[in-house]
Amino acid sequence: HETTHMTLDRFGCLMAFMLLISLSAEVAYADSLEVALVKAAPDANAKVIALAVHASQCRRAQGESPAQRLAVIDYSLPSTEQRLWVFDLQRRTLLFHELVAHGRNSGENMARQFSNQNQSMATSLGLYRTRATYLGHNGYSLRMEGLEPGFNDNALDRAIVIHGAPYVSGDLARSNGRIGRSLGCPAVRPAIAHQLIDSMKDGQLLFSYYPDPRWLNSSLFINCDNATVAEASKPVRTFQ
């Protein structure tokens, strides 16, 4: 009996060790994605990229299909800087690094005020899931669904979409000290709008960041635990 107990104890220790190794491997996979994206976008704030990766993995942990691409906007940067990054998550490469507008009631060159309210003409923070494209008043556009209650979940009602706009221009930034502002949409340069929208349509993720304490402390996507992220970070295995 003593031998049996020792065998069971060793088996239990072995299983616990294997579980620990597995969990460590999944966390390492998440870390490696973050490292790869930071390396692909050396001009980005590494902490913002880390939050965006974490948020995307929290979303996946809710049972959603993994996104193929992730867009990150750092609204702590001025509008005259390229503050939008679009990543291919499978290849772990940077697809776009672009200027992007904020809402006219969020600020001048610097965005400082954010709102989820209709008619606010302000930018909203948080994680979005993209939907389908359409042709509208601003041409080829991409609808987005806000995933964060109280912060961006009015996005569809507000028609917060990605679209091209002539006021998003490097020349305008140099002459006016800022680019033009939207009604709350993350508008981009017309020259790249169609290509960028096609890369982001149909279930991709966009992470809209600003160091707002209320959002940072309450976002379900920023504050899910490491075990949840580890589970969500498992590589997708496909079989031929």
Side-chain angles (χ1 to χ4, degrees):
H1 290 296
E2 184 175 348
T3 302
T4 302
H5 284 307
M6 290 178 63
T7 302
L8 288 173
D9 287 344
R10 287 173 181 171
F11 180 74
C13 289
L14 178 61
M15 291 301 294
F17 178 72
M18 293 297 290
L19 181 62
L20 179 62
I21 291 296
S22 175
L23 182 61
S24 298
E26 307 307 344
V27 172
Y29 179 81
D31 289 346
S32 70
L33 176 61
E34 174 191 325
V35 169
L37 299 192
V38 167
K39 184 177 180 180
D43 293 334
N45 184 330
K47 292 181 180 179
V48 175
I49 299 299
L51 284 176
V53 170
H54 185 87
S56 70
Q57 290 163 345
C58 287
R59 169 69 173 166
R60 182 176 167 186
Q62 295 178 357
E64 302 294 334
S65 299
Q68 306 302 307
R69 281 163 293 283
L70 170 67
V72 181
I73 303 176
D74 185 354
Y75 281 117
S76 70
L77 297 174
S79 72
T80 50
E81 292 188 24
Q82 293 173 304
R83 53 186 179 171
L84 163 64
W85 293 262
V86 179
F87 297 99
D88 184 317
L89 295 181
Q90 288 189 318
R91 294 182 174 86
R92 301 186 175 193
T93 55
L94 180 65
L95 300 177
F96 297 93
H97 182 203
E98 285 291 329
L99 296 169
V100 63
H102 57 250
R104 65 179 59 171
N105 284 340
S106 284
E108 294 285 333
N109 188 34
M110 301 295 299
R112 302 189 190 279
Q113 303 295 325
F114 302 89
S115 177
N116 189 40
Q117 298 302 310
N118 290 328
Q119 309 301 322
S120 67
M121 298 188 213
T123 291
S124 300
L125 299 177
L127 191 66
Y128 298 79
R129 176 185 177 273
T130 65
R131 289 198 172 189
T133 60
Y134 69 99
L135 282 174
H137 177 70
N138 292 300
Y140 193 55
S141 304
L142 178 60
R143 289 189 173 91
M144 298 195 299
E145 173 190 2
L147 302 177
E148 305 215 32
F151 292 99
N152 66 11
D153 59 339
N154 281 332
L156 285 173
D157 288 342
R158 295 180 61 203
I160 300 301
V161 303
I162 300 176
H163 64 81
Y167 54 75
V168 181
S169 156
D171 290 340
L172 197 61
R174 285 183 287 274
S175 62
N176 288 4
R178 64 168 174 82
I179 63 173
R181 297 167 299 170
S182 68
L183 299 182
C185 296
V188 297
R189 292 188 302 121
I192 54 87
H194 201 295
Q195 186 181 2
L196 187 149
I197 286 170
D198 278 346
S199 77
M200 283 294 296
K201 65 185 179 182
D202 300 331
Q204 311 313 318
L205 295 175
L206 182 144
F207 184 74
S208 177
Y209 170 84
Y210 185 82
D212 177 78
R214 189 171 71 90
W215 169 62
L216 289 172
N217 290 330
S218 59
S219 169
L220 297 177
F221 298 106
I222 289 175
N223 295 294
C224 72
D225 59 36
N226 286 333
T228 302
V229 170
E231 180 63 26
S233 304
K234 290 179 179 178
V236 178
R237 293 176 174 84
T238 57
F239 298 92
Q240 301 297 329

